[in-house]
Each structure stands twice: as structure tokens, then as C-alpha cells.
Amino acid sequence: MKALVKTAKGPGNIEVREVAKPAIPSEDWVLIEVKAAGICGTDLHIWHDQFPYWPPVVLGHEFSGKVVEAGSRVKNFQIGDRVVAEPHSLACGMCELCRQGRVQLCPDKRSPGWGIDGGFAKYVAMPETLLHRIPEGMSWEIAALAEPMAITVHHVTERCGIACQDFVVVTGAGPIGILAAFVAKAAGAGKVVITGMSACEYVRFDAAKALGADVIVNVEKEDPLKKVMELTKGRGADVVIETSGAQRAISQSIAMLKKCGKLCAIGLGANETPNIPWNQAVLKSLDIICCMSSGYTACDKALSLMANTDKDLSALITHKTPIDDWEHVFHELEAERGIKALFIPDPQ
Ligand SMILES: [Zn+2]
Ligand SMILES: [Zn+2]
């Protein structure tokens, strides 16, 4: 089968290759025929050698598909079932984090797409424990959004606990920022402000609006801190969800929060050690909540939210291509001329 492979360590080193159809490594795994697979910022980081990976490895950790083979110990899924999978393969099940249900943080975890072969191919193997059924009537394309949706559901609701009518600011209008705005609104936020740079005017701000953001701030044209203070009459935001990783946005997040507000950080910063107004955060008694990946409960909630929303999530999907177009699509995403791009495997 054709697959998009990171062939060796170093920047670049990605190509479409003919690889063997995967075999299930153990009787509690299934083989999934991939129907749609989303490209994530992580894939771009692996392209540029900025994220850990074990080459040669088939990329892709966000996918939907159909079970086509099930090991003899698989209990709850059958051939033909429509599924998505949490990307926490090889988590040990034994460590303190695994036993607490935080398998996403297990040090042994090797996710599809960087630790084991992933979903940018016709088939991918996954353990049964990580599967979730796609709700009836949901398209393969929308279902492929389940993993980033689960991340935002976990961070925004389970970790950060958005409350009824909270004033929420999302910094950064990339796919995770837009999804965070959508989830915050669905979780009961009163007003959601989303910020981004001029590049977001190409397609990202429109999608953010379509999915529920109330106020768009282009930080190259308007001061987001001033805007938030105006809108809250000097009180500040209840919650800031930081998804940009930008130094300026991180320090402004602290300035625009109310006393006892919450800063919810999703994703890595552009600098290893950003300058932040630490004393201001202390004097305001802020909660700073850092989040990484998502877990089982968030995945189910994400699928349920996606099935029940009246918003059109296809506003997020800007590209649908076969994997042969990977280079063009990766460049498009990097230039912020897209939001979520999906690989649709060749039907042959
Ligand atoms: Zn992802
Ligand atoms: Zn573990």
C-alpha cells in the first residue's frame, strides 16, 4: 500500500512510499481501513524535525475508518464497525498515570504517526482499548476531526472548567484555537473573543465566526488587551485559552485576565522559556493550567458534541486530497491558507 513516510531523522525526509499492509501485532488489536486522515501541526513539526519520532514511520494520528480485521481477543468491535482511535498506543497500562486514566501521559506511549505506523496510508493497526464508535450519520471527514476535538474538550472543559456565561479569550486562530472557541461556546461561555494575525483573514477568522466566536481581533490591526478591557468594562476575562505559543500572546494573556481568572495553555510555546509577567500572575491569584493531549472521556464527549451540534464543522475542512499532494498541502497549512486538511486514501 501507499503511505506517507518520515524516512529518517532530520528536517524533510518525507516521501510517499510503497509499504507492506500492516499486520495486527497482537490478538487484542484491529486493522482499520482509513477513510479520512487529518493533518496536524505535529505532522508539520515532524517534517521539520521539531518533535520526537522513530523513523521510518508512517505519519498521521487523526483518522477515521472501518474495522476490516479483528484479533481473536477483541471483544467489543467487529468487522465493519466505523471507528476513530485515541492516539495512545503502547501506553503500558501499569504506571501511576495509566492507572489514573491518564494514559496520554504514559512515558511508554508511542502514538501512531510518530511512535508506530499511523494513518496516512490505506490501513492502520490499533489496539481495541483505544477505539471509539463513530455516531450514526456522521461522515468520515467530520469523524476525522475527533482527535483535535477531544483535545479541546479535555482542555477547555475537563481541565479548565469553563463556567456558564464566562467571558473567554482564545489566543491564536489555528485549528486548535478555532475548536477551542467552538467548545467554549458549547460549554456555556457567554462571549468568546478569538485573536490572530492578518494571515487568519484568508480563511481562519471566517471559520471561527461560523463555529461560534463572537469577536475577532486581528492583533496586527487592533490591541487585543485594550479590546478585552473595553468589552469587559475593565474587569478582564474569566478565562484565556492560549493556543498561539507566541511570547506576546502569553504575556498579554496574564494582563487581560481578571483576578482569580484562569489561563489554559494548549500546545507548546515558540520559546522554551517565554518571558511572562510572573508577579502580575501571582498578585492576581491566577490559575495557570497546562494541558497535554486528551483521554478516553474527552473522546466520547467530543464525538457526542460533534453529533449534536447545530454548527457546520465542515467549515474547518479546507483541503481534501490524496497523500500524493502532501507537499503542497503541508505548505498551504504552514502559510495558514488552510485550517484542517484531510487525506482521503485512494478508493482503489
Ligand atoms: Zn493532532
Ligand atoms: Zn503507563
Side-chain angles (χ1 to χ4, degrees):
M1 65 174 186
K2 248 199 236 172
L4 189 63
V5 179
K6 177 82 183 187
T7 57
K9 284 278 181 191
N13 298 333
I14 289 182
E15 64 184 47
V16 176
R17 266 189 186 175
E18 200 56 43
V19 300
K21 181 178 172 180
I24 52 168
S26 136
E27 291 299 323
D28 48 6
W29 284 51
V30 301
L31 191 67
I32 298 166
E33 183 186 339
V34 177
K35 297 294 190 179
I39 301 164
C40 176
T42 304
D43 299 306
L44 303 182
H45 287 314
I46 294 170
W47 183 30
H48 298 309
D49 201 31
Q50 296 159 340
F51 189 87
Y53 57 93
W54 280 258
V57 67
V58 178
L59 298 172
H61 60 270
E62 304 176 2
F63 49 83
S64 61
K66 193 165 78 175
V67 175
V68 290
E69 198 186 313
S72 60
R73 290 203 305 274
V74 171
K75 287 195 187 118
N76 297 317
F77 290 86
Q78 295 174 348
I79 290 170
D81 283 350
R82 304 167 75 239
V83 295
V84 295
E86 293 170 68
H88 315 310
S89 31
L90 310 197
C92 73
M94 302 291 283
C95 70
E96 183 183 347
L97 290 157
C98 279
R99 286 171 192 259
Q100 288 170 338
R102 296 168 167 166
V103 293
Q104 67 269 29
L105 300 174
C106 174
D108 287 348
K109 166 179 135 169
R110 294 280 183 275
S111 295
W114 52 265
I116 63 168
D117 286 335
F120 292 167
K122 174 118 178 157
Y123 298 100
V124 61
M126 287 300 287
E128 180 191 15
T129 49
L130 298 177
L131 302 183
H132 295 253
R133 240 171 271 280
I134 298 173
E136 218 166 297
M138 186 179 290
S139 70
W140 298 115
E141 284 88 0
I142 296 297
L145 303 173
E147 197 271 340
M149 184 70 81
I151 287 185
T152 48
V153 165
H154 175 60
H155 297 195
V156 174
T157 70
E158 296 181 331
R159 294 274 290 142
C160 199
I162 294 282
C164 184
Q165 295 303 299
D166 269 352
F167 187 102
V168 176
V169 180
V170 178
T171 54
I176 291 291
I178 298 170
L179 284 173
F182 167 74
V183 171
K185 203 71 191 181
K191 210 177 254 310
V192 175
V193 176
I194 189 165
T195 70
M197 314 269 283
S198 292
C200 298
E201 284 180 356
Y202 190 80
V203 59
R204 295 181 169 192
F205 283 151
D206 285 341
K209 229 176 196 162
L211 293 187
D214 301 291
V215 180
I216 307 283
V217 178
N218 177 341
V219 299
E220 292 182 71
K221 294 183 178 162
E222 213 175 347
D223 178 0
L225 177 58
K226 204 168 138 221
K227 183 78 180 177
V228 169
M229 287 308 165
E230 252 168 49
L231 289 169
T232 60
K233 300 185 172 58
R235 174 178 173 271
D238 294 292
V239 177
V240 175
I241 301 163
E242 206 308 294
T243 74
S244 74
Q247 161 74 64
R248 196 171 156 76
I250 295 170
S251 42
Q252 278 181 335
S253 296
I254 289 170
M256 65 176 64
L257 276 164
K258 69 170 190 182
K259 284 189 175 174
C260 302
K262 291 181 201 170
L263 172 56
C264 178
I266 310 184
L268 298 172
N271 297 339
E272 180 68 35
T273 51
N275 273 321
I276 64 165
W278 186 252
N279 287 351
Q280 204 184 131
V282 173
L283 292 167
K284 282 184 166 182
S285 265
L286 298 183
D287 287 337
I288 300 182
I289 301 159
C290 300
C291 314
M292 182 65 203
S293 195
S294 70
Y296 192 87
T297 53
C299 188
D300 273 347
K301 289 177 199 166
L303 285 164
S304 173
L305 173 58
M306 289 157 69
N308 292 327
T309 182
D310 55 4
K311 298 272 191 294
D312 182 7
L313 291 165
S314 64
L316 282 165
I317 302 170
T318 51
H319 298 71
K320 288 192 247 183
T321 70
I323 55 174
D324 303 273
D325 285 341
W326 73 270
E327 203 160 0
H328 168 70
V329 175
F330 276 30
H331 282 293
E332 284 278 286
L333 292 177
E334 201 152 56
E336 302 185 5
R337 285 193 296 268
I339 305 169
K340 204 33 105 173
L342 299 180
F343 287 133
I344 310 293
D346 200 324
Q348 262 59 262

